[in-house]
Amino acid sequence: MFKELFEDRTVFYDFLKAFLPKEITKQIKETDLKREQTELIGKDFSIKRSDIL
């Protein structure tokens, strides 16, 4: 459920504004948010995946 919600940039931005202090959120614009690759390779070459980043 959270993955689907947070895939929407506007919904995620609204979430941040609701739960982070205003000092932080006033420095973030919705257009600053971007999805990152979810597959990460560790120093030992192990692969780790996150749902959304």
Side-chain angles (χ1 to χ4, degrees), residues 26-43:
K26 69 181 180 181
Q27 298 176 36
I28 303 170
K29 298 177 188 168
E30 185 176 341
T31 56
D32 293 336
L33 303 175
K34 65 177 184 170
R35 287 187 70 182
E36 293 290 338
Q37 184 175 347
T38 58
E39 189 173 280
L40 306 170
I41 301 175
K43 290 181 180 179

Side-chain angles (χ1 to χ4, degrees), residues 8-38:
D8 183 313
R9 184 189 314 203
T10 302
V11 172
F12 184 65
Y13 184 65
D14 290 341
F15 174 84
L16 292 177
K17 290 192 307 185
F19 290 97
L20 292 177
K22 286 185 181 182
E23 297 80 31
I24 295 173
T25 57
K26 69 181 180 181
Q27 298 176 36
I28 303 170
K29 298 177 188 168
E30 185 176 341
T31 56
D32 293 336
L33 303 175
K34 65 177 184 170
R35 287 187 70 182
E36 293 290 338
Q37 184 175 347
T38 58

